[in-house]
Amino acid sequence: MTRSTDPGRAHPPGASAPPIPPVTGGRGFTVAAVEAVPIFRDGLSALIQRSHGMTWVGHAANHHTALQLCEQLKPEMILLDSGLDPNCHLTRLLTAAEHPPIVVVLIREATRTSRYLTSAIGAGARAAVPRSAEPRRVIEAMRRAHMETRYLDPALATLAVGPKRQPAADGRPATGPRAQMPLSRREYQVLQLIAEGMENSAIAKVLYLSVETVRTHVKSILRKLAARDRTHAVTTAFRSGILITHPDDCAQLPESAEPQK
């Protein structure tokens, strides 16, 4: 998780920045991103910093730092790369917080499906826009999400109504398999760090918990996942979709948190 340290970025001499839609009402709000690719992250940071009424507070590159970011900085809006949350577990955990941020999902081509969109909205996402959209459309989605209940970019409108499902043999609507999230926010963070190879003492330092509290969370994780040990729990979590591998362009990226100076 990283907070922005530069007050703004000057546009190169001789070039003009594309106009940003003006504020049409309401108050300003703070924004953070869950995005692991540096060039996308920097682009979002620059876009927010030159958009009136928005304040960039930082970013996270994975799930547990995203939860930490929300706990520590409390951004009012989160821009979330759908490639980092294909099963919408993180969206559900973020929106279930006591003071939940507005989640705007940036949808990759790989997750541009009716099923994903339905899952994201069901998990609490307020708006969805293609990750490849023009900056003006991203800003519009953010402003509309801040002022309205829900916003869907027109390019995604065809996904709003998915194909009809064939009824099952017993006459009930058939539904495809969906990964469930049996873990709490803190247990999910602990499991993420276990998957990264951390022992209880290291996890305790990262999450500012006592080692005994971490042990309690580990026991709960093993029970909920019906796992024999930590390795079995991680394997089960990956197989069931509770944990995900990063998209190819998200690998080998730093995940440390740095406070703003």
Side-chain angles (χ1 to χ4, degrees):
M1 176 184 67
T2 306
R3 296 185 67 176
S4 175
T5 57
D6 48 331
R9 299 190 180 187
H11 206 68
S16 59
I20 297 299
V23 177
T24 57
R27 59 181 178 80
F29 53 95
T30 55
V31 183
V34 181
E35 171 60 71
V37 182
I39 192 168
F40 276 91
R41 189 167 64 221
D42 291 348
L44 290 172
S45 172
L47 179 63
I48 300 309
Q49 290 180 40
R50 61 186 174 90
S51 299
H52 183 64
M54 299 183 186
T55 302
W56 176 262
V57 295
H59 75 272
N62 59 33
H63 288 208
H64 73 82
T65 52
L67 294 172
Q68 282 184 303
L69 180 150
C70 287
E71 291 172 359
Q72 296 172 13
L73 306 182
K74 295 179 173 56
E76 294 169 86
M77 181 174 290
I78 290 286
L79 299 174
L80 174 59
D81 172 12
S82 68
L84 295 179
D85 192 31
N87 297 312
C88 301
H89 293 325
L90 180 58
T91 299
R92 193 175 303 278
L93 292 173
L94 291 173
T95 57
E98 183 177 358
H99 301 289
I102 296 170
V103 174
V104 176
V105 183
L106 305 179
I107 297 187
R108 292 182 180 222
E109 286 301 315
T111 53
R112 193 165 174 165
T113 65
S114 295
R115 180 171 180 175
Y116 175 80
L117 182 62
T118 299
S119 297
I121 292 175
R126 180 79 65 86
V129 63
R131 189 164 178 258
S132 58
E134 293 292 328
R136 289 176 58 87
R137 287 168 55 194
V138 175
I139 292 298
E140 179 182 6
M142 294 171 66
R143 296 206 192 284
R144 295 279 291 273
H146 186 250
M147 294 186 295
E148 301 176 8
T149 303
R150 188 173 295 164
Y151 177 77
L152 180 65
D153 186 89
L156 303 174
T158 57
L159 303 180
V161 180
K164 293 183 179 180
R165 292 171 176 168
Q166 296 297 322
D170 58 3
R172 293 178 299 176
T175 56
R178 294 181 65 181
Q180 300 299 311
M181 170 48 75
L183 307 180
S184 69
R185 288 165 59 92
R186 190 63 80 191
E187 289 166 353
Y188 190 46
Q189 286 180 289
V190 170
L191 182 60
Q192 288 273 336
L193 295 174
I194 290 174
E196 293 177 16
M198 290 190 181
E199 297 297 332
N200 289 353
S201 57
I203 294 173
K205 290 180 180 179
V206 169
L207 298 180
Y208 302 100
L209 301 173
S210 69
V211 175
E212 185 58 37
T213 298
V214 173
R215 289 197 190 100
T216 299
H217 286 314
V218 172
K219 290 178 182 177
S220 180
I221 291 168
L222 297 181
R223 175 178 56 80
K224 289 181 177 180
L225 298 184
R228 297 183 301 273
D229 51 34
R230 295 157 67 100
T231 301
H232 187 206
V234 170
T235 301
T236 299
F238 275 112
R239 286 177 176 172
S240 64
I242 293 174
L243 292 180
I244 63 166
T245 55
H246 281 186
D248 291 341
D249 56 356
C250 295
Q252 305 301 322
L253 292 171
E255 301 173 350
S256 59
E258 297 178 5
Q260 183 176 14
K261 298 180 181 179

